[in-house]
Every structure is written in structure tokens, then in C-alpha cells.
Amino acid sequence: MKSIRNIITVAMVALVAFFAAVPAAGQLKFGIKAGAAINDLKFDTDILSKDNRAGFTGGIMLEFTVPLIGVGLDASAMYVHRTAEFQPDVNADMESSGRDYIDIPINLKYKLSIPVVEKVIKPFVTTGPSFAFLVSKKDVNEFFKNKTCDIAWNFGFGLEFLSHVQIAASYGIGLTNTLEFVGLSGNKATIEGKNRYWTVTAAYLF
């Protein structure tokens, strides 16, 4: 856990140092974003059987881009509903897990300018940490409880159209445990799970 915190701290310091050094003439845009969130829980044991489900996300975003070099910052505040079904015991029915978060992804973004078509379409890539804070209940049933904070690292790509519309997809790798299970089949050992998820969004920037 300490190493994860160190990674996040270094990343945030690097972001602050970068944007403190860029010119004030950078382009700042505000927008709205919505899409689908497809969750894939990864457990530290193969005891649990699971079935992934698609959720949804929506919120607001800010984008700051440095002119000429195409490097910038993409930060969002998103409501995310993640769902999954799993079987905590071979003799038990499938349990449904619905979790609601306020998710704050902060990404470095690089836009690739292609001569001739750059005013119409620009591909881009993104990467950075995401901080999701649980807003639904923590204790779900006798088998598991949700963690209040879920930290992940995202890798994404997308296309920007006419400098206003962005279609993007990203994959998030959980760095902290999002679920904690206890008491399965009489075994009191803790079973933990991390999030893996795809997020596909469409955004309009003003």
C-alpha cells in the first residue's frame, strides 16, 4: 500500500510541476461526458464465480492543452455505477453487487496533429490515476463489504472531432482492493478483489 501511495504522490507532483511551467496561453475547455462502465472484478482466489455487468457513468470534465505541442491535462468529476454478479459459495445463489462512486480521473493527454485533417479529427492518448469514492452503502450482506475508496491507473485512447466532440475508451487497473469478502464456506480467511474496468465515453467540450 505504501508503494502505491508513493506512485500516486510522484505522479501528482509531476503533474503540478508540469502545469506550473507551461505558458498561461494554454487552451482551457469545459465539457460534459457520459458513457458505459464495464466492470471486471479480479479476486485473489478462484473460489468465487463471477459474471461481469455493464454500468454507466456521467459528469463534467476540464481539459487544458498546451498550444503547439499537444500535451495537456484531462480531469473529470464523474458519477459511476458499477455492477457485477458473483456466487460466494457453490451452494449459494448468485449475488448482485451494485456500487456507486464519485470518480475523479486525472490524466495526461497527448493529441496528435495530422496535417490536412487536424482541424476535423485528432487522435489522442491518455494515462493517469483515478480516485473513486464510494457513495452507496458499504456493508452489502454477510459475505462482503465495499471499500470506501478505490484507486486505479487508467490507460486510454480516443478521437476528437471538430475540436468539440471526443469519443474515448480507457482501461483501468485497480491498485487497491475494492471489495472484501469474509466467511465463505465456513472459512473466515479474507478474500479481496480489485477492479478492472473498461470505460467508453462521449464528451462535448464548449
Side-chain angles (χ1 to χ4, degrees):
M1 185 65 182
K2 185 177 180 180
S3 61
I4 293 174
R5 290 176 180 171
N6 290 338
I7 292 172
I8 299 299
T9 300
V10 170
M12 297 303 294
V13 169
L15 285 174
V16 172
F18 174 80
F19 287 101
V22 300
Q27 299 174 346
L28 181 64
K29 294 181 179 180
F30 169 82
I32 55 176
K33 182 164 61 174
I38 304 171
N39 197 49
D40 181 14
L41 291 172
K42 296 294 185 183
F43 299 108
D44 59 0
T45 178
D46 57 2
I47 292 176
L48 299 176
S49 174
K50 63 182 177 58
D51 188 13
N52 302 314
R53 289 288 183 268
F56 58 87
T57 183
I60 58 175
M61 64 175 288
L62 284 174
E63 180 189 87
F64 180 86
T65 305
V66 181
L68 301 178
I69 64 175
V71 177
L73 175 70
D74 181 329
S76 304
M78 307 291 291
Y79 172 83
V80 182
H81 179 74
R82 294 174 179 155
T83 60
E85 288 189 347
F86 53 89
Q87 189 175 16
D89 190 280
V90 293
N91 298 316
D93 295 330
M94 292 291 285
E95 295 277 348
S96 178
S97 169
R99 290 162 291 143
D100 300 314
Y101 295 90
I102 297 299
D103 190 26
I104 304 176
I106 304 173
N107 293 310
L108 279 173
K109 176 183 282 185
Y110 174 67
K111 294 182 182 180
L112 178 62
S113 294
I114 303 174
V116 182
V117 299
E118 63 181 2
K119 291 185 178 180
V120 178
I121 185 172
K122 285 184 179 180
F124 61 82
V125 293
T126 61
T127 188
S130 177
F131 306 90
F133 301 95
L134 185 72
V135 294
S136 57
K137 61 182 180 180
K138 183 176 181 180
D139 295 319
V140 179
N141 62 21
E142 61 191 285
F143 294 112
F144 72 93
K145 62 181 179 179
N146 296 313
K147 298 289 188 177
T148 57
C149 181
D150 183 20
I151 301 175
W153 195 276
N154 298 319
F155 301 88
F157 60 93
L159 294 172
E160 180 180 85
F161 301 92
L162 302 173
S163 299
H164 290 288
V165 177
Q166 294 184 358
I167 306 298
S170 66
Y171 186 70
I173 300 174
L175 301 179
T176 59
N177 292 314
T178 186
L179 293 174
E180 182 181 4
F181 293 76
V182 294
L184 301 182
S185 300
N187 184 358
K188 298 301 181 180
T190 298
I191 299 174
E192 297 175 328
K194 290 184 172 64
N195 262 331
R196 300 288 191 275
Y197 54 87
W198 279 100
T199 305
V200 180
T201 59
Y204 185 85
L205 301 178
F206 298 96

